[in-house]
Amino acid sequence: MFSAATDKTRPVSPVFCRRWDWLALCLVLAAAVAAFALAGGFAGIPGAAAEVRVEGRAVARLPLTQNATLPVEHNGHHLTVHVADGQVWVNADCPDRLCEGMGPAARPGQSIVCLPAGVSVTVTGAAAPDGVAY
Amino acid sequence: MNASRKTALLGMLTAAAVALSFLESLLPVLPFLPPGAKAGFSNIVTMFAAGFWGPLPALTVAVLKSGFVLVTRGATAGAMSLCGGVLSTLVMWLCLKGRCSLLITGVAGAMTHNLAQLGVAIAMTQTPGLVYYLPALMLFAVAAGTVTGLLLKAVWPPLTTLADRLLGPKEKR
């Protein structure tokens, strides 16, 4: 692909791809896909609560079994944390709204962060199997 | 002797990096991409500066570009841009110095960029759980790095011609 320029008046750029490059990239891709699959292996476990932190300090712990709405204000940013149907998500008033794209979260370890506001929401723990027989 | 010409080239490269980073910020956030993933088109410029010129001019471009991000998009975006830009520029310079192909260099740069930004995000929010985004970010970085490598392959000859003309004969630099 894209062989080096043969015209002597044109400067020669570094090669785009060498023989084993695609192999190396395939290994990286395989590792990423494997990690992706492993993380997805926890998909069946529901989370217990959403921990809301501001600048690393825990400010609230919302059980995912209870619907709730929590306004959070920090650094001049206004966020709203919503919990419903065992899921948690965030609404924001900032221009790029990246945190809205990160939700909804329901599995332990999943997080939603809003960097400008310094707010993070992390789903913790497995839910107690509340009277459910396995 | 050629100080002003060098400054001019540095300014042009920085302007290109700033313009590319601004264009990138206009792209819509696609739902299937990991949040915060950056294509890093300004890496094309720092990669060229690192390969054609040297580590110092490349780092200068990266730092000046982050300064622009700091002024226009705030402290958080500025800090992320600085960490990602400086680290990825260093990695890309090392790659090119080690005669890696543009494909490998681009992918290594994109990975470093996204890794550094994830690191900053984890440190700022004290949320280690964000490492869950690592595999998705790495998948994205391979695609983004391939695109930046391809684009640089295409623009390298004209950019080199321009820079050579501006800096004058090699012996006199």
Side-chain angles (χ1 to χ4, degrees):
Chain A
M1 199 190 283
F2 290 88
S3 58
T6 44
D7 186 353
K8 269 178 194 153
T9 56
R10 288 184 74 201
V12 176
S13 59
V15 285
F16 173 68
C17 179
R18 287 214 180 80
R19 205 172 180 178
W20 299 106
D21 287 1
W22 290 112
L23 186 71
L25 286 193
C26 284
L27 285 178
V28 172
L29 281 175
V33 169
F36 210 56
L38 273 179
F42 299 107
I45 309 166
E51 224 169 59
V52 183
R53 272 178 263 169
V54 178
E55 306 279 356
R57 277 179 293 107
V59 293
R61 196 180 147 82
L62 309 169
L64 291 185
T65 45
Q66 252 176 298
N67 292 3
T69 311
L70 177 77
V72 182
E73 198 190 328
H74 194 62
N75 284 349
H77 294 273
H78 303 263
L79 280 86
T80 318
V81 183
H82 299 276
V83 177
D85 305 324
Q87 294 184 321
V88 58
W89 70 95
V90 167
N91 282 127
D93 64 349
C94 62
D96 53 44
R97 296 173 182 241
L98 280 178
C99 54
E100 291 185 356
M102 292 177 82
R107 291 181 270 132
Q110 277 193 324
S111 329
I112 298 170
V113 295
C114 167
L115 284 179
V119 172
S120 77
V121 180
T122 311
V123 179
T124 58
D130 219 35
V132 178
Y134 287 101
Chain B
M1 177 170 115
N2 274 324
S4 51
R5 285 166 171 267
K6 283 182 183 169
T7 312
L9 181 58
L10 201 59
M12 282 162 74
L13 290 175
T14 307
V18 166
L20 284 173
S21 123
F22 175 69
L23 279 179
E24 190 181 298
S25 74
L26 294 182
L27 294 176
V29 180
L30 297 172
F32 55 87
L33 291 181
K38 287 278 181 327
F41 288 137
S42 62
N43 270 7
I44 299 170
V45 180
T46 48
M47 206 161 134
F48 172 76
F52 172 83
W53 208 349
L56 229 60
L59 284 174
T60 312
V61 170
V63 170
L64 287 175
K65 187 215 115 189
S66 308
F68 178 80
V69 174
L70 176 75
V71 170
T72 54
R73 285 165 50 207
T76 316
M80 294 190 99
S81 170
L82 187 68
C83 281
V86 167
L87 282 176
S88 65
T89 302
L90 278 175
V91 166
M92 289 190 294
W93 172 67
L94 283 173
C95 281
L96 289 171
K97 208 174 148 61
R99 307 210 140 271
C100 286
S101 65
L102 289 177
L103 174 68
I104 292 294
T105 309
V107 171
M111 284 184 152
T112 316
H113 203 100
N114 282 300
L115 259 180
Q117 301 208 325
L118 186 68
V120 172
I122 289 175
M124 281 176 97
T125 58
Q126 311 270 306
T127 311
L130 282 181
V131 291
Y132 275 74
Y133 285 108
L134 193 60
L137 277 178
M138 292 299 102
L139 282 175
F140 175 77
V142 170
T146 307
V147 172
T148 48
L150 258 179
L151 286 174
L152 182 57
K153 179 72 191 176
V155 298
W156 187 288
L159 270 182
T160 313
T161 310
L162 184 89
D164 274 337
R165 213 173 283 166
L166 197 61
L167 291 180
K170 277 201 172 77
E171 319 80 63
K172 285 188 182 169
R173 279 179 206 167

